[in-house]
């Protein structure tokens, strides 16, 4: 019986290693992959006050549901930044099937290394500490009036323009909307 449990543990450990991208340093992963309920996605996009033609970046885009919904409902262009190669491949394939590949692309990259200057809106669902690490990049790249929408975790040191709340899957979700201020010359 002990050998059976040991064998199961070894198989599980090997499976976990097999799923990790080969040669990819995962120490820079800023949040676990947790999907946002569709009702929360819709509320985040509504709170962002998206306008047709805007560019939306989703940092840690996961399965692409935020950008797919944004492109379909608001006619925006989107860029997803995702560290998981399998999620990037699967989401880009889904975008092709939905005929959205000309408006939305998912890039396999570390979100801390991405130039965010084209973004009108940045969507994040990262932990508080990760938001703190990301904040200097947001301040560096985003122009005045750009919006940052954060699911559940505030950006410390910033005052939200709006805070929305929604109930989904038997728990409350908080949506923080920040607007980038005018830059001092």
């Amino acid at each position: 019986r002990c050998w059976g449990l040991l064998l199961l543990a070894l198989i599980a450990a090997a499976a976990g290693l097999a799923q990790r991208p080969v040669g990819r340093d995962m120490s820079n992963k800023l949040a676990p992959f947790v999907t946002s309920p569709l009702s929360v996605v819709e509320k985040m996009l509504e709170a962002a006050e998206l306008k047709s033609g805007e560019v939306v970046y989703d940092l840690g885009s996961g399965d692409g549901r935020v950008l797919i919904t944004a492109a379909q409902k608001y006619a925006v262009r989107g860029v997803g930044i995702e560290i998981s190669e399998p999620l990037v491949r699967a989401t880009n394939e889904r975008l092709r099937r939905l005929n959205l590949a000309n408006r939305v692309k998912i890039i396999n990259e570390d979100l801390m290394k991405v130039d965010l200057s084209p973004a009108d809106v940045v969507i994040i669902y990262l932990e508080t500490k990760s938001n703190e690490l990301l904040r200097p990049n947001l301040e560096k790249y985003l122009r005045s009036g750009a919006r940052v929408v954060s699911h559940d975790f505030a950006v410390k040191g910033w005052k939200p323009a709006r805070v929305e709340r929604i109930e989904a899957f038997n728990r409350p979700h908080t949506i923080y909307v920040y607007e980038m201020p005018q830059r001092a010359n």
Side-chain angles (χ1 to χ4, degrees):
R1 179 174 158 110
C2 285
W3 287 108
L5 290 174
L6 179 60
L7 182 60
L8 278 174
L10 288 172
I11 291 170
L17 290 174
Q19 291 176 0
R20 177 171 278 204
V22 176
R24 174 71 103 174
D25 176 11
M26 297 301 283
S27 63
N28 58 355
K29 192 168 183 174
L30 297 174
F33 173 47
V34 178
T35 59
S36 297
L38 192 52
S39 60
V40 174
V41 168
E42 290 172 349
K43 189 72 168 175
M44 285 191 297
L45 297 174
E46 177 186 310
E49 298 178 350
L50 295 176
K51 297 165 198 68
S52 178
E54 286 190 313
V55 177
V56 178
Y57 273 56
D58 185 7
L59 305 184
S61 58
D63 63 4
R65 68 181 56 203
V66 170
L67 295 174
I68 290 168
T69 304
Q72 290 174 330
K73 191 169 182 177
Y74 295 95
V76 298
R77 292 177 291 132
V79 178
I81 308 301
E82 177 55 52
I83 199 163
S84 166
E85 290 180 49
L87 277 173
V88 170
R89 283 193 303 272
T91 304
N92 279 323
E93 178 55 36
R94 184 170 179 216
L95 290 167
R96 280 188 284 284
R97 286 194 315 271
L98 293 171
N99 294 317
L100 292 173
N102 61 335
R103 291 200 332 236
V104 178
K105 65 181 174 180
I106 309 299
I107 300 168
N108 183 222
E109 185 62 73
D110 177 344
L111 62 87
M112 295 299 292
K113 297 177 181 176
V114 174
D115 177 353
L116 302 171
S117 59
D120 296 296
V121 174
V122 174
I123 306 285
I124 53 178
Y125 187 15
L126 304 172
E127 297 168 344
T128 303
K129 184 66 177 164
S130 299
N131 286 351
E132 287 181 59
L133 293 171
L134 181 61
R135 180 181 161 183
N137 286 3
L138 296 168
E139 291 171 344
K140 173 184 175 182
Y141 288 114
L142 296 180
R143 63 187 165 276
S144 300
R147 285 98 63 212
V148 176
V149 180
S150 181
H151 177 187
D152 277 341
F153 299 95
V155 179
K156 286 187 176 181
W158 284 3
K159 185 177 189 248
R162 285 181 303 297
V163 177
E164 305 274 342
R165 291 184 173 75
I166 184 172
E167 185 82 21
F169 295 132
N170 298 317
R171 81 166 185 87
H173 296 262
T174 304
I175 299 165
Y176 300 91
V177 180
Y178 301 95
E179 294 179 9
M180 298 308 290
Q182 292 288 338
R183 291 185 186 263
N185 291 334

